[in-house]
């Protein structure tokens, strides 16, 4: 049994966790920065990086104390090395390197997306490779065939905004505040999905995503003054769900050998998204796996778990490993027009 210290700092959550290779999360400490970013309506990279500097070390100390272990008992240190806001990534990765060096432990540089991609295997011991993964977060919207640790085939990506980004931008337009996803979901519960909004790329042969046009349509619907914020929120959420479903159906035809449909990333916390995907999986004779909500949004347990999976596969990294603002999970994936323009 291996014990891994996981560190996460790639966006606006600072977190440290102690995770074992037999799927126990012995400790998880997380500090969000929502209050610091709220006045700006979005994450300010410089503010995020400074906050990581202040809270990461105390969080690690607290997590070790919670788990009742010392650094000497840890087998490896796993830190997010990208992709993400580079200032924050550097704080976590340098901290991981310093601890690894001081304690004489191996370092594991984890791709944040791999953390999300493998997180369902932490919560579900029966989830075997390969599986079709819909990875929907604030920065990414991808369909991946997860073939094994370090083996990811990207079947689709977004040509403009990520799904979570669309939630966040629409929330801002509708005056629902930050972070947008949960606020839109709460408003949608009170509304009726009757505002006509587009379903970008629905029906197109490649399973890629697009959400920029949907956000613009939300701006226009709001400006028209005809609909309530709740009705627009409900209609927007329905449009996102329709797009995710249509694109996932398209990718299913290419996910050879997959026995499960898996959703991960912050948008996987959305109840309407989860329900729709669960129904789709059932209709296709696939298992449906979605991690618990706390494991969907950014956290360090998923980084510790990805570290445990990599450690078991003998994948550790040298102390000069780079921090990467951009880091595709599938280096062989073809460039898609319009895709990857955002951090
Ligand atoms: O995975 P995550 O915590 O961070 C990234 O790696 O991006 O995802 C954050 C994203 C944000 O865009 C947030 O608005 C969205 O996930 N999100 C949601 C919900 N909870 C978080 N979107 C829709 N419904 C939710 N309940
Ligand atoms: Zn994330």
């Amino acid at each position: 049994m291996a014990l891994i210290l996981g560190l996460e700092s790639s966006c606006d959550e600072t977190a440290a966790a102690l995770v074992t290779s037999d799927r126990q999360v012995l400790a998880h400490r997380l500090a969000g920065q929502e209050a610091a970013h709220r006045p700006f309506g979005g994450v300010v990279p410089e503010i995020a990086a400074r906050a990581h500097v202040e809270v990461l070390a105390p969080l690690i100390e607290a997590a070790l104390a919670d788990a009742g272990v010392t650094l000497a008992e840890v087998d490896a240190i796993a830190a997010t090395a990208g992709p993400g806001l580079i200032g924050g990534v550097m704080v976590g990765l340098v901290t991981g390197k310093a601890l690894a060096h001081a304690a004489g432990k191996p370092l594991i540089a984890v791709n944040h997306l791999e953390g999300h991609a493998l997180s369902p295997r932490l919560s579900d011991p029966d989830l075997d490779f390969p599986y079709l993964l819909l990875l929907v977060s604030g920065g990414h919207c991808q369909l991946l065939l997860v073939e094994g640790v370090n083996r990811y085939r990207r079947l689709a990506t977004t040509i403009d905004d990520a799904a979570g980004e669309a939630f966040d931008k629409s929330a801002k337009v509708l005056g629902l505040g930050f972070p947008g996803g949960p606020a839109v979901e709460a408003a949608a519960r009170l509304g009726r999905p009757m505002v006509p909004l587009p379903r970008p790329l629905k029906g197109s042969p490649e399973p890629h995503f697009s959400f920029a046009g949907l956000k613009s349509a939300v701006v226009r619907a709001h400006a028209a003054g005809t609909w309530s914020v709740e009705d627009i929120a409900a209609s927007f959420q329905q449009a996102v769900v329709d797009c995710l479903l249509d694109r996932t159906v398209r990718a299913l035809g290419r996910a050879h050998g997959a026995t499960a449909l898996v959703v991960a990333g912050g948008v996987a916390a959305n109840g309407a998204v989860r329900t729709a995907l669960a129904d789709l999986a059932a209709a296709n004779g696939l298992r449906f796996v979605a991690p618990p909500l706390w494991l969907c949004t950014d956290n360090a347990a998923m980084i510790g778990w990805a570290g445990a999976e990599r450690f078991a596969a003998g994948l550790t990294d040298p102390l000069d490993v780079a921090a990467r603002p951009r880091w595709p999970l599938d280096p062989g994936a073809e460039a898609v027009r319009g895709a990857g323009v955002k951090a």
Side-chain angles (χ1 to χ4, degrees), residues 90-108:
M90 289 198 288
V91 173
L93 183 57
V94 168
T95 302
K97 288 185 181 194
L99 292 176
H101 174 69
K105 306 289 180 181
L107 173 76
I108 302 166

Side-chain angles (χ1 to χ4, degrees), residues 11 13 112 116 136-140 164-165 167-168 179-182 185 237 265-267 269-271 296-298:
C11 191
E13 320 279 355
H112 178 85
H116 282 301
V136 271
S137 70
H140 299 272
E165 197 175 359
F167 269 97
D168 293 334
E185 183 172 17
Q237 183 172 277
V267 181
N270 185 283
C296 286
T297 47
D298 286 351

Side-chain angles (χ1 to χ4, degrees), residues 170 174 184 192-200 202 213-222 227-240 242-243:
S170 297
L174 297 175
V184 170
R192 299 155 300 170
M194 49 194 257
V195 184
L197 294 175
R199 268 74 174 152
K202 187 169 176 186
L214 179 54
K215 186 213 66 188
S216 308
V218 166
V219 172
R220 286 193 298 273
H222 187 55
W227 312 97
S228 72
V229 163
E230 289 76 16
D231 288 346
I232 300 174
S235 307
F236 164 81
Q237 183 172 277
Q238 187 59 54
V240 172
D242 285 353
C243 292

Side-chain angles (χ1 to χ4, degrees), residues 170-211:
S170 297
K172 205 167 176 177
V173 170
L174 297 175
L176 290 171
F178 171 85
V184 170
E185 183 172 17
R189 245 180 255 124
L190 307 172
R192 299 155 300 170
M194 49 194 257
V195 184
L197 294 175
R199 268 74 174 152
L201 291 186
K202 187 169 176 186
S204 84
E206 291 296 316
H208 295 308
F209 300 93
S210 168
F211 292 104

